[in-house]
């Protein structure tokens, strides 16, 4: 894995849609182009894309590339937490 973080990361906050769903084929093409160009840093968050960003990054990056060759930044929306069990529900739902 590269020792430094890429100057530009690939964000999963906005992705192409087709027929009302995230276009996985187009997203895969974009991920492939980014990795071919030397990119390795991906960014996501639980609340992105109606809570679909993390599962999309799993399908388009984690399941397709060796995990030890990529770096993923993920964020928990603590400002939306109302109960102490809320984070556990989010983590269990993401599994």
């Amino acid at each position: 894995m590269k020792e430094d973080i890429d100057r530009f990361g690939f964000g999963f906050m906005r992705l192409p849609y087709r027929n009302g769903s995230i276009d996985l084929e187009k997203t895969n093409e974009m991920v492939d182009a980014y990795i071919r160009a030397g990119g390795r840093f991906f960014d996501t968050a639980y609340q992105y894309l109606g809570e679909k960003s993390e599962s999309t990054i799993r399908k388009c990056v984690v399941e397709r590339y060796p995990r030890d060759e990529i770096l993923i930044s993920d964020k928990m929306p603590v400002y939306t937490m109302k109960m102490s069990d809320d984070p556990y529900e989010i983590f269990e739902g993401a599994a």
Side-chain angles (χ1 to χ4, degrees):
M1 175 132 188
K2 292 167 63 173
E3 295 300 321
D4 57 337
I5 296 177
D6 297 334
R7 176 170 248 166
F8 296 103
F10 187 113
F12 271 65
M13 184 174 180
R14 292 181 182 91
L15 296 173
Y17 273 73
R18 182 174 56 186
N19 300 324
S21 297
I22 297 169
D23 186 340
L24 294 178
E25 182 178 339
K26 187 64 165 176
T27 302
N28 283 339
E29 291 175 13
M30 294 165 54
V31 166
D32 294 346
Y34 174 70
I35 288 179
R36 275 194 309 272
R40 297 290 181 264
F41 177 63
F42 295 88
D43 175 76
T44 188
Y46 171 75
Q47 68 272 26
Y48 291 175
L49 300 170
E51 302 172 5
K52 291 180 174 57
S53 179
E54 291 172 330
S55 61
T56 302
I57 207 168
R58 181 185 315 123
K59 291 175 190 169
C60 296
V61 180
V62 176
E63 292 177 0
R64 299 175 62 236
Y65 289 94
R67 185 61 180 93
D68 62 343
E69 294 181 11
I70 56 175
L71 177 63
I72 297 174
S73 170
D74 199 350
K75 296 166 289 301
M76 171 64 73
V78 293
Y79 59 88
T80 66
M81 302 293 117
K82 306 287 187 247
M83 306 292 292
S84 61
D85 288 340
D86 287 349
Y88 297 103
E89 291 179 27
I90 290 171
F91 286 128
E92 289 172 10

